């Protein structure tokens, strides 16, 4: 059995990021019954960022999996043994959510060696980085996964990127102070692109499953 871990860094269980990750999972499991997909919602876990305990750097006992114990510990241990990894987050203020950034600290810091500054994960695997955002392709301030993308690329392998632009922030714009947006324009964009975005996520799931089998 091959295992893909999906990390959902978004706060809403049934909105843009979650729906695209669900489609990814459907695509991956459509390939073979030998592919298992597990989704972890970061907003449902009680955890902290790197505590600078340096337990992963102790001489003779160095580890490339975080040693700090909390609700994130079993997730990080599962990722270390997984065959594929998917990270999904909405873009807030040009960056991934705080929960995703905090998770990435715990994931990536143990990979870093201060002896030679190499980055070594427990195993290399295919990775997908998914972003959903309010910005358009022509106008957005997204830094995506930022410097962490370098860590992922170096330690795990070249990631595939999926981006859904100009997504709905709410279901009914009339109920919120969002006059800076034209719901008509956003609806038109969504009608033209959202199903394509979902299909792209589904297809990416199939590609990852095929890679790891």
């Amino acid at each position: 059995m091959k295992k893909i871990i999906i990390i959902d860094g978004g706060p809403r269980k049934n909105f843009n990021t979650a729906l695209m990750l669900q489609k990814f999972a459907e695509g991956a499991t459509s390939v073979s019954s030998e592919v298992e997909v597990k989704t972890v919602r970061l907003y449902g876990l009680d955890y902290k960022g790197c505590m600078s305990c340096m337990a992963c750097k102790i001489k003779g006992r160095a580890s490339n999996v975080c040693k700090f114990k909390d609700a994130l510990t079993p997730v990080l241990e599962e990722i270390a043994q997984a065959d594929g990894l998917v990270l999904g987050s909405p873009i807030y203020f040009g960056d991934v959510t705080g929960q995703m950034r905090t998770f990435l600290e715990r994931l990536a810091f143990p990979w870093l060696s201060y002896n030679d500054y190499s980055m070594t994960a427990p195993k290399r695997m295919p990775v997908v980085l998914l972003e959903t955002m309010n910005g358009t392709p022509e106008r957005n301030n997204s830094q995506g996964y930022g410097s962490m993308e370098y860590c992922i690329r170096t330690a795990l392998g070249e990631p595939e990127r999926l981006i859904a632009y100009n997504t709905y922030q709410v279901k009914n714009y009339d109920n919120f102070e969002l006059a800076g947006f034209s719901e008509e324009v956003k609806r038109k964009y969504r009608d033209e692109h959202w199903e394509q975005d979902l299909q792209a996520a589904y297809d990416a799931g199939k590609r990852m499953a095929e890679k790891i089998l």
Side-chain angles (χ1 to χ4, degrees):
M1 182 71 73
K2 300 294 185 177
K3 190 168 190 177
I4 296 170
I5 303 292
I6 293 176
I7 303 296
D8 183 350
R12 296 193 276 188
K13 297 180 180 180
N14 298 295
F15 224 62
N16 303 311
T17 303
L19 292 175
M20 287 192 69
L21 293 174
Q22 180 180 322
K23 280 296 180 183
F24 184 100
E26 291 174 8
T29 54
S30 74
V31 172
S32 170
S33 59
E34 293 300 308
V35 176
E36 176 188 356
V37 178
K38 179 176 180 177
T39 299
V40 177
R41 295 196 68 256
L42 295 180
Y43 275 77
L45 300 178
D46 183 12
Y47 66 99
K48 296 177 173 62
C50 178
M51 299 296 288
S52 196
C53 65
M54 304 301 283
C56 62
K57 310 286 189 247
I58 296 174
K59 284 187 176 181
R61 290 189 287 146
S63 172
N64 50 15
V65 180
C66 179
K67 306 305 289 183
F68 186 79
K69 302 298 183 184
D70 62 10
L72 200 58
T73 302
V75 178
L76 296 170
E77 291 173 348
E78 276 194 279
I79 291 172
Q81 301 300 320
D83 302 289
L85 177 64
V86 185
L87 306 177
S89 176
I91 298 299
Y92 294 165
F93 291 96
D95 207 340
V96 294
T97 61
Q99 275 75 5
M100 177 59 78
R101 182 61 173 76
T102 297
F103 161 81
L104 289 170
E105 288 180 359
R106 296 278 299 279
L107 178 70
F109 184 60
W111 299 343
L112 172 63
S113 168
Y114 278 134
N115 293 325
D116 58 8
Y117 294 95
S118 60
M119 299 286 297
T120 307
K123 61 188 289 191
R124 294 176 70 83
M125 64 186 71
V127 183
V128 165
L129 303 179
L130 184 147
E131 305 165 41
T132 63
M133 69 181 73
N134 181 49
T136 64
E138 301 78 20
R139 187 179 180 183
N140 71 83
N141 65 344
S142 174
Q143 304 301 310
Y145 289 79
S147 61
M148 288 299 180
E149 187 169 340
Y150 168 80
C151 299
I152 291 164
R153 179 182 299 110
T154 304
L156 297 179
E158 186 68 33
E160 178 180 354
R161 296 187 70 196
L162 290 176
I163 304 176
Y165 294 101
N166 205 12
T167 55
Y168 262 33
Q169 292 169 287
V170 295
K171 293 182 178 180
N172 187 344
Y173 276 69
D174 291 337
N175 293 337
F176 298 89
E177 296 287 353
L178 295 169
F181 302 102
S182 166
E183 183 175 9
E184 181 181 354
V185 171
K186 290 187 75 70
R187 186 188 308 114
K188 184 175 185 297
Y189 187 95
R190 183 181 178 88
D191 289 346
E192 292 174 353
H193 294 89
W194 181 237
E195 289 301 323
Q196 296 174 16
D197 292 334
L198 293 175
Q199 185 64 49
Y202 183 91
D203 293 342
K206 291 183 65 175
R207 285 193 297 273
M208 182 177 286
E210 290 164 355
K211 281 182 184 178
I212 65 178
L213 285 173

